[in-house]
Amino acid sequence: MKRRIADLVKMSVLVPVLIVSMAACGAASAQNKGDEAAGAAQTAQGEAVEEKKEETATQPAEAKVYENKGYKITVPAELADKITVETPEVSEDGVIFDCYETKSVEAAKGTGNENMSAGWLFAITERDVESTRKMLASDYPGEDPIAKAEDGTYLIYHHPTDVRYERATPEEMQKDQAEWEAACAWANDVRESFAADNGLTKVYYNGTSVEAALGKAAFDETAKYTISTTEFGPMEPKDVDPIAFYEKMTNGATYESINLAENEVPDGEYVVLNFPEDNVRYDFFLAEGSENIIRQVIGAEGSEQQEYFYKVTFEDGTSKASAIMNEWYHALAGK
């Protein structure tokens, strides 16, 4: 491209010289030659402009990196013009990043629904240890710790519990469905990669009811619960620090909901974490091979009860949930 432009510069100098030198051969002939040269110059210039346009049009989009308060997130090139990221300098809620799908925001403005948080994907905030523990004990939906800084600060990932996708018409919603799904996939990627991208300690939390129950037992001083097996019967919390056991149950641990058929439910004994006032208990199976399977039972004894199952996977590959709960139980029993 540089060579073509240089050639055009040379042609613009030679054209008037050519016209003057041929004046003695006849004005008409010189004029024709000049017109031909000028036309060639214009054609070449036009080609250069078209090439530049094509080069600009095909130039790949670039990813956008947003930074605030020492943290960063990256919007990939294919979504760079589709995501709106706010980075407030001051926020009473400790907001660092607040992210939206841009088209949904614009559609909401057109329908007068801009105050309904259309297009909201997630926000990331800072919280201290005390407020994070209160959050974990309360099981408030849509707030998940995802990382921890060296000074003890937690990074919380806030996300909607409903769908914020919006377009002006149903046809547009159907047409842009893939765009919305891509934005949501990116939002989930940020949740998973934020700790590593910022040199922080990853916090594993999927917001399951098991995690909430463990948080309640560990951080809610008013919580009434027992831990029991058939060995000593139910044990109430005493002066044993529950936080140490909570950390063993959650550090590097991923909890997920699973489906189990009736004939797949583990046999044998289990450690029970029971909240009698809430009519809910959690059974941690002791049978070999099932130590990381948990059953949640909702409903008072003697009434109709509902059962749900969960599985925990520990990053170290060796920890067993029921073994940790049994250790907690023996600490309460003074054994």
Side-chain angles (χ1 to χ4, degrees):
M1 181 62 71
K2 288 182 179 179
R3 182 175 297 175
R4 293 291 302 277
I5 294 174
D7 289 343
L8 289 175
V9 172
K10 290 179 182 178
M11 289 180 66
S12 68
V13 174
L14 290 174
V15 168
V17 174
L18 184 62
I19 295 173
V20 173
S21 65
M22 295 191 65
C25 297
S29 177
Q31 182 65 49
N32 289 339
K33 294 286 186 177
D35 288 347
E36 290 176 4
Q42 289 177 353
T43 300
Q45 185 176 7
E47 290 176 358
V49 170
E50 288 301 319
E51 284 192 18
K52 190 166 186 178
K53 284 183 179 178
E54 289 179 8
E55 184 180 274
T56 302
T58 58
Q59 185 175 1
E62 295 183 355
K64 289 185 178 179
V65 179
Y66 294 87
E67 299 184 6
N68 194 19
K69 300 180 181 178
Y71 304 104
K72 67 179 180 180
I73 60 173
T74 302
V75 181
E78 63 272 18
L79 292 174
D81 62 345
K82 303 181 189 309
I83 302 292
T84 297
V85 179
E86 297 178 357
T87 56
E89 291 184 10
V90 179
S91 170
E92 293 181 0
D93 298 322
V95 175
I96 304 168
F97 302 108
D98 206 2
C99 303
Y100 298 80
E101 194 251 350
T102 304
K103 276 191 178 181
S104 287
V105 175
E106 294 172 346
K109 289 180 180 178
T111 58
N113 293 326
E114 61 266 34
N115 293 327
M116 303 299 290
S117 297
W120 183 50
L121 297 169
F122 69 89
I124 294 178
T125 67
E126 285 183 319
R127 283 192 181 171
D128 59 25
V129 174
E130 183 179 355
S131 59
T132 300
R133 287 178 173 177
K134 287 181 179 178
M135 180 200 76
L136 293 170
S138 64
D139 186 27
Y140 190 80
E143 295 187 345
D144 304 335
I146 58 172
K148 185 178 180 181
E150 288 185 4
D151 64 359
T153 300
Y154 281 87
L155 285 302
I156 311 300
Y157 183 91
H158 305 256
H159 57 91
T161 56
D162 57 357
V163 178
R164 304 296 175 91
Y165 178 39
E166 185 155 343
R167 292 293 188 270
T169 65
E171 291 77 16
E172 289 183 16
M173 292 194 75
Q174 184 174 5
K175 173 178 171 290
D176 291 347
Q177 181 67 36
E179 289 189 18
W180 172 253
E181 291 176 356
C184 292
W186 167 75
N188 189 63
D189 287 344
V190 172
R191 172 194 171 107
E192 296 302 318
S193 66
F194 187 83
D197 291 345
N198 289 277
L200 306 171
T201 300
K202 183 173 181 178
V203 175
Y204 294 77
Y205 188 83
N206 282 342
T208 64
S209 60
V210 181
E211 293 165 282
L214 292 169
K216 184 174 182 178
F219 305 126
D220 184 353
E221 295 180 356
T222 66
K224 298 188 181 303
Y225 66 91
T226 62
I227 300 178
S228 64
T229 71
T230 57
E231 187 174 5
F232 306 114
M235 293 289 170
E236 295 183 353
K238 299 178 182 178
D239 56 354
V240 175
D241 182 10
I243 296 177
F245 296 102
Y246 171 85
E247 290 180 347
K248 287 184 178 183
M249 289 292 293
T250 57
N251 285 347
T254 301
Y255 287 80
E256 59 183 323
S257 175
I258 61 172
N259 294 317
L260 284 184
E262 186 173 348
N263 62 348
E264 296 175 322
V265 177
D267 293 326
E269 296 188 4
Y270 40 82
V271 183
V272 180
L273 172 61
N274 186 36
F275 296 86
E277 292 185 351
D278 301 328
N279 289 323
V280 59
R281 77 170 199 261
Y282 298 86
D283 301 333
F284 297 80
F285 293 98
L286 291 164
E288 184 176 357
S290 300
E291 297 98 332
N292 288 330
I293 302 296
I294 303 127
R295 175 173 57 195
Q296 178 190 30
V297 181
I298 301 175
E301 290 188 16
S303 65
E304 185 176 355
Q305 296 178 320
Q306 295 176 306
E307 295 185 356
Y308 302 93
F309 293 89
Y310 301 87
K311 177 183 178 181
V312 55
T313 303
F314 290 93
E315 191 176 36
D316 62 16
T318 59
S319 295
K320 307 295 182 184
S322 59
I324 297 170
M325 292 302 297
N326 203 32
E327 181 185 354
W328 190 352
Y329 174 65
H330 279 82
L332 295 179
K335 304 295 184 181

